[in-house]
């Protein structure tokens, strides 16, 4: 009986640990997205590229090739009028999915869903971004 009670107390006390840890991971992932969006807005192309994970930098090995891709397919991310973080989910201790609601340069609403991974150096980097028009109302 004592072992069961001890195990139950341990499980109850640990219930808050993953959520607290998840909050730190999500904050780190959001910081990477925010940093990249601010770099785009400041025309700091190298700064924006620095937030790309190795899988992205392998596909786009130069800042110029990366920016050509972004400007060709992700203009609402490249030049948002505004943005706000939406839903997020920690998929593992080193992987986060983050929704970002944007108002593009055309004044239309978009939803970007980012995937991010924690790198060996302890920094979060963007591994992908899916963009679609949104029916959400901008505020």
């Amino acid at each position: 009986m004592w072992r069961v009670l001890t195990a139950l107390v341990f499980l109850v006390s640990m219930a808050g640990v993953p959520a607290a840890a998840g909050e730190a991971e999500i904050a780190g992932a959001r910081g990477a997205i925010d940093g990249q969006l601010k770099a785009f807005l400041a025309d700091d192309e190298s700064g924006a590229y620095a937030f790309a994970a190795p899988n992205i930098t392998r596909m786009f090995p130069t800042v110029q090739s990366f920016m050509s891709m972004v400007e060709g397919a992700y203009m609402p991310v490249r030049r948002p009028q505004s943005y706000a973080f939406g839903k997020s989910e920690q998929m593992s201790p080193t992987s986060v999915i983050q929704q970002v609601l944007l108002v593009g340069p055309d004044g239309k609403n978009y939803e970007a869903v980012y995937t991010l991974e924690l790198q060996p150096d302890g920094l979060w980097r963007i591994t992908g971004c899916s963009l679609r028009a949104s029916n959400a109302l901008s505020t």
Side-chain angles (χ1 to χ4, degrees), residues 88-112:
S88 56
E89 185 173 347
Q90 184 179 2
M91 303 305 291
S92 76
T94 61
S95 177
V96 170
I97 296 175
Q98 176 66 58
Q99 175 192 47
V100 179
L101 305 173
L102 306 121
V103 177
D106 57 4
K108 295 180 182 175
N109 296 309
Y110 295 88
E111 174 191 33

Side-chain angles (χ1 to χ4, degrees), residues 3-74:
R3 286 185 191 175
V4 172
L5 182 57
T6 303
L8 182 58
V9 169
F10 176 76
L11 290 173
V12 169
S13 69
M14 292 301 290
V17 172
E23 290 172 16
E25 279 76 15
I26 289 169
R30 285 182 177 181
I33 296 167
D34 189 53
Q36 186 178 64
L37 291 172
K38 286 179 178 171
F40 282 143
L41 288 169
D43 291 324
D44 179 3
E45 297 176 351
S46 295
Y49 186 67
F51 288 99
N55 68 312
I56 301 297
T57 60
R58 279 191 296 276
M59 289 189 292
F60 304 98
T62 66
V63 172
Q64 294 77 20
S65 63
F66 174 74
M67 291 306 299
S68 291
M69 176 273 299
V70 171
E71 290 174 353
Y74 295 91

Side-chain angles (χ1 to χ4, degrees), residues 72-94:
Y74 295 91
M75 193 52 76
V77 170
R78 171 68 171 100
R79 291 270 183 231
Q81 291 183 23
S82 64
Y83 61 93
F85 292 104
K87 298 175 186 174
S88 56
E89 185 173 347
Q90 184 179 2
M91 303 305 291
S92 76
T94 61

